[in-house]
Amino acid sequence: VKEKVKEKNSREPSARSPKVLYDLFGTVNHKGTLHQGHYVANVKCGNRWFSCNDEFVTPAGEGDGEKEVLSSEGAYMLFYQKK
C-alpha cells in the first residue's frame, strides 16, 4: 500500500501529467489609456505574422515578424491553438 501511494505522488516522468503544448496564432493589442485608445491585431498566417490596423494589413516586421509581435506592448488578448 505504501508503494502505491509513493508512486502516485512521485515526481518521476511516468507519474507526471502529459505535456500539453500550444502555438500562439493571434494577439489583440490595446494602445492608449483606460478610457480611450485603439485596438490592433496580429495574426499568424502560415509561418508569417501580419499586423491588422483598421483596413490595413501589413507584415508585422522583418523576417517572419515573430520578434516584433512577441515584443510588442499592450497585449490584451492572446489566441492559442493546441498542438
Side-chain angles (χ1 to χ4, degrees):
V1 175
K2 286 183 182 180
E3 271 188 47
K4 287 182 183 179
V5 172
K6 185 178 180 181
E7 285 178 20
K8 187 175 180 181
N9 295 328
S10 174
R11 295 281 184 200
E12 295 295 319
S14 61
R16 291 184 187 167
S17 298
K19 286 186 177 180
V20 180
L21 302 175
Y22 296 88
D23 284 325
L24 180 69
F25 71 89
T27 69
V28 175
N29 296 45
H30 181 262
K31 298 177 182 183
T33 67
L34 181 62
H35 302 290
Q36 64 182 7
H38 184 70
Y39 291 93
V40 296
N42 294 295
V43 294
K44 189 173 187 180
C45 185
N47 291 325
R48 184 85 175 96
W49 282 92
F50 294 90
S51 180
C52 306
N53 187 350
D54 295 332
E55 74 250 22
F56 301 104
V57 178
T58 58
E62 293 183 22
D64 62 6
E66 187 170 285
K67 181 179 178 181
E68 286 78 3
V69 171
L70 296 179
S71 64
S72 63
E73 294 182 13
Y76 181 75
M77 293 176 65
L78 304 174
F79 297 89
Y80 292 94
Q81 181 177 7
K82 190 174 180 180
K83 285 187 175 185

